[in-house]
Amino acid sequence: MKKIVAKNIKKSFDDLEVLKGIDLEVGEGEVVAIIGPSGGGKSTLLRCLNKLETIDGGRIVIEGETLAETTPDGEVQYSPDASRIACKMGMVFQQFNLFPHMTVLQNLMEAPVRVQHRPAGDVRREALALLRKVGLEDKQDQYPRRLSGGQQQRVAIARALCNKPDIMLFDEPTSSLDPELTGEVLKTMRNLAEDHMTMVVVTHEMGFAREVATRVLFMCDGVVQEQGTPEEVFGHPKNERLRSFLQSILK
Amino acid sequence: MDYVISILPQMLQGTMDTLRLFFITIVLSIPLGIVLAFARVSGFGWLRKIVAAYVYVLRGTPLMLQLLFVYFGLPFLPYIGMRLDDFPAAVLAFVLNYAAYFCEIFRAGIQAIPKGQYEAAKTLGMNYLQTMRRIILPQVIKIILPPISNETITLVKDTSLIYILAMNDLLRTTRNLVQRDFNIMPFLVAGVFYLIMTLILTAGFNRLEKHYAKWD
C-alpha cells in the first residue's frame, strides 16, 4: 500500500494559484526530495499533505485512509478523522518551532503523554533513546534557546519521531541554518532514511537530494515539471526549466 | 509618634477596605479579560466588533464616571435597572473597567506568539484547548507580566476613587482624620501605606518575571 497518494491537488491563495493539479505518490521507505525555485509551491504542497493548508481540489489518501477528496459537486470534503490521519505524519519546520518554555525532554514528551496517552515512563525512555540517536542526550534538561540552530533542529526531528509517525515531512529543514550546521542535521536525516523511514523532503540541499533521495521531484510554477531518480534528474535533465534551475544553482 | 500610633487602627481598617476591593477586582477582572481577549481574536467578526466597542467605551471614559454611573445611574436603567450597595457597585465598575485593559494586554500577548507554535502543536496532534493551555498561554504570560504589573499597581491607587461613594477606604479615612485633628500627619502615613502595598506587588512581579526568565 502506498504511504501517500495525492491526486490533482489544487490550492490558491486569493487570486494566486500555487498548486495547479499536483500528483504525488510515495511508497513505503521512499525518500522523495522536492526541489525547485522559491515560490514554486513546494512548501505549500507539503503543508497540504498534513492539513496545515486546506486544499481547493483533489484527493489525499494517507496509508489507505482518505484525508480529503473532492465530491462530485466540486466541494472538497475532509474526513471527520482528519486530525488523526494527519498525525501519522511528523513534520519538521524551517524555523524548528520548538516550545521555548519547555526543556528538550519536555518538548519530546508533551504530545506522546498528553495526546496519545502513552505511559510517561515509557515515553521518557523512548525520548532519551531518540536524543541519543540525534547526539543530544546531554541536552535533555536544556531550554531550546540555549541550543544552536543545528541542535534545535535535531531536537525538532526527535520530537516529531517521539510521536511515532509513519511518515516524516521536512519543510526546508536546513534553510535557516548556518552552513557549518547543516551537516549535522543532514546526517540525522540520512540515518533516518537508512532506517527506512518514509520521507518527503523539501530542500535546497542538492547534495542531500542526490545521495539520499530515492526519487526527486522538480516543482516550478505550481506544477511538477519533472521527476525521476536522482541520476535522471541531476544527470540527464530533460525539462528546460530544470536545466536552467540546476545551472543557476551550480554557479 | 504617639499620634501616629493612635491613628494606626483606623488607617489599617481603611486599608482593609482598599485591599478587599483590590483583590476582588484582580480575581474577577483577569479571567474576564482573558475571555474577552479570546473573543477579540476569535473567528467571529461580530464578536470581535462587540468586544472592540466594549474596550473602546471602557477605556475611553473616566473610571470615576463609570463608578458614578454604576452607583447612581444604574437604578434608572429600564428593565435591568437595580440599586447596588456601594461596595458591590464599586466592584462592578472596577471589574468592568479593568477587564477592558486586561483584555488588550492579553490580546497583544496572544498575537505575539508566532504562528509556528500553533502549527507545531497541530502537527503533534494537540487540539485547541491543549494548544492554548500548554503551549500558548505559558508563553503569553511571560510576555504580559510587565504590563500586568503596571496595571496592577495602577489599580492599588485607583481604589482611592471609591472615596466618591463615601466608603471608608484608606484615602477617605485619612482625610477624615486630617479634618478631625487639624494635623497633616495622616497624609504622610497614607502615602507610606500605599508605597508598602506597591512595594510588595513590585517584589512579587519581579520574582514572577525571574521565574519566567529561566527559559531565555
Side-chain angles (χ1 to χ4, degrees):
Chain A
M1 184 181 37
K2 291 284 183 192
K3 286 279 173 183
I4 301 175
V5 179
K7 281 246 179 285
N8 200 25
I9 303 301
K10 290 188 173 140
K11 173 72 183 174
S12 300
F13 292 113
D14 298 320
D15 290 337
L16 184 67
E17 196 174 17
V18 184
L19 302 178
K20 302 172 181 169
I22 302 276
D23 293 328
L24 173 69
E25 288 199 5
V26 183
E28 174 143 27
E30 261 199 288
V31 178
V32 175
I34 305 179
I35 62 169
S38 302
K42 309 183 299 290
S43 290
T44 306
L45 172 62
L46 206 64
R47 293 163 58 82
C48 283
L49 292 179
N50 67 351
K51 217 191 147 214
L52 284 181
E53 307 282 358
T54 52
I55 57 174
D56 300 330
R59 177 161 197 255
I60 299 174
V61 181
I62 306 297
E63 298 187 307
E65 291 187 280
T66 302
L67 176 75
E69 62 183 336
T70 311
T71 55
D73 55 8
E75 291 284 304
V76 172
Q77 194 159 30
Y78 273 85
S79 157
D81 236 3
S83 299
R84 182 185 57 79
I85 298 172
C87 281
K88 294 174 167 196
M89 291 169 279
M91 180 129 178
V92 175
F93 300 86
Q94 184 178 343
Q95 299 298 340
F96 328 133
N97 293 346
L98 292 176
F99 304 134
H101 58 302
M102 296 182 178
T103 64
V104 165
L105 189 60
Q106 287 167 341
N107 262 277
L108 264 66
M109 291 179 63
E110 178 69 15
V113 172
R114 304 240 168 209
V115 179
Q116 300 178 336
H117 302 294
R118 281 151 51 194
D122 296 356
V123 173
R124 192 189 162 82
R125 253 191 312 282
E126 288 160 13
L128 290 173
L130 281 168
L131 286 177
R132 204 168 308 127
K133 217 163 158 182
V134 301
L136 293 171
E137 68 267 48
D138 55 328
K139 304 289 188 198
Q140 53 165 300
D141 294 323
Q142 288 276 8
Y143 286 91
R145 283 189 185 142
R146 302 265 166 86
L147 305 180
S148 73
Q151 291 171 333
Q152 287 193 49
Q153 194 59 299
R154 284 186 281 153
V155 172
I157 293 172
R159 177 177 71 176
L161 290 173
C162 205
N163 237 17
K164 300 202 172 174
D166 296 331
I167 302 160
M168 283 286 282
L169 308 178
F170 294 83
D171 189 4
E172 304 199 20
T174 58
S175 293
S176 55
L177 295 178
D178 294 337
E180 76 266 27
L181 298 178
T182 57
E184 58 189 71
V185 172
L186 293 176
K187 181 166 160 266
T188 304
M189 292 168 62
R190 191 166 298 168
N191 292 341
L192 204 53
E194 281 163 10
D195 290 346
H196 307 293
M197 173 60 82
T198 307
M199 295 160 64
V200 182
V201 186
V202 170
T203 185
H204 292 297
E205 292 289 330
M206 295 305 140
F208 176 83
R210 189 164 202 153
E211 289 162 40
V212 182
T214 52
R215 192 149 49 95
V216 178
L217 260 73
F218 173 66
M219 260 182 86
C220 184
D221 295 333
V223 179
V224 176
Q225 307 272 359
E226 185 164 341
Q227 63 172 305
T229 63
E231 169 59 18
E232 288 166 352
V233 169
F234 292 111
H236 313 282
K238 292 187 278 289
N239 181 288
E240 193 52 45
R241 307 291 290 273
L242 174 55
R243 265 186 236 159
S244 63
F245 174 72
L246 290 176
Q247 255 168 17
S248 69
I249 278 188
L250 292 177
K251 266 176 200 163
Chain B
M1 200 62 213
D2 287 346
Y3 176 68
V4 171
I5 291 171
S6 76
I7 61 172
L8 271 184
Q10 274 165 289
M11 303 220 37
L12 281 172
Q13 189 58 45
T15 306
M16 290 316 288
D17 267 25
T18 293
L19 286 176
R20 202 151 58 103
L21 177 62
F22 171 79
F23 280 115
I24 294 177
T25 302
I26 285 288
V27 167
L28 294 179
S29 62
I30 286 186
L32 180 58
I34 294 177
V35 172
L36 287 173
F38 279 111
R40 187 101 161 78
V41 297
S42 75
F44 309 105
W46 57 272
L47 190 58
R48 284 203 305 269
K49 282 200 186 105
I50 292 175
V51 177
Y54 172 85
V55 169
Y56 175 63
V57 170
L58 273 287
R59 289 201 310 178
T61 55
L63 176 54
M64 176 85 93
L65 177 65
Q66 294 162 21
L67 201 55
L68 291 172
F69 181 81
V70 169
Y71 188 63
F72 294 109
L74 210 52
F76 298 107
L77 279 190
Y79 305 114
I80 58 164
M82 58 177 146
R83 168 131 186 81
L84 290 175
D85 281 344
D86 49 9
F87 189 72
V91 167
L92 182 61
F94 272 83
V95 168
L96 292 180
N97 180 277
Y98 270 80
Y101 282 94
F102 286 134
C103 165
E104 282 304 281
I105 292 174
F106 277 100
R107 178 191 61 79
I110 291 169
Q111 289 177 336
I113 306 298
K115 206 170 109 233
Q117 292 290 307
Y118 293 89
E119 292 185 346
K122 193 174 171 193
T123 60
L124 290 170
M126 303 177 78
N127 61 30
Y128 180 78
L129 266 183
Q130 287 168 329
T131 304
M132 281 301 162
R133 209 170 67 79
R134 302 283 306 171
I135 308 301
I136 305 303
L137 273 182
Q139 298 185 57
V140 169
I141 288 172
K142 178 187 164 66
I143 297 174
I144 63 170
L145 268 178
I148 291 275
S149 160
N150 248 333
E151 230 21 76
T152 311
I153 288 170
T154 305
L155 174 60
V156 171
K157 295 170 293 173
D158 273 357
T159 52
S160 60
L161 290 175
I162 58 174
Y163 170 94
I164 198 93
L165 300 188
M167 290 168 66
N168 287 315
D169 73 317
L170 178 56
L171 186 68
R172 193 179 183 85
T173 307
T174 305
R175 203 198 63 160
N176 289 345
L177 288 168
V178 169
Q179 289 180 335
R180 187 192 70 188
D181 303 337
F182 292 109
N183 186 334
I184 59 153
M185 198 60 183
F187 281 150
L188 296 180
V189 177
V192 171
F193 273 39
Y194 280 114
L195 282 173
I196 290 172
M197 289 188 265
T198 313
L199 185 69
I200 292 170
L201 278 175
T202 308
F205 275 104
N206 280 345
R207 279 191 64 167
L208 268 177
E209 280 180 38
K210 269 213 188 85
H211 172 78
Y212 277 96
K214 73 176 187 219
W215 36 274
D216 263 336

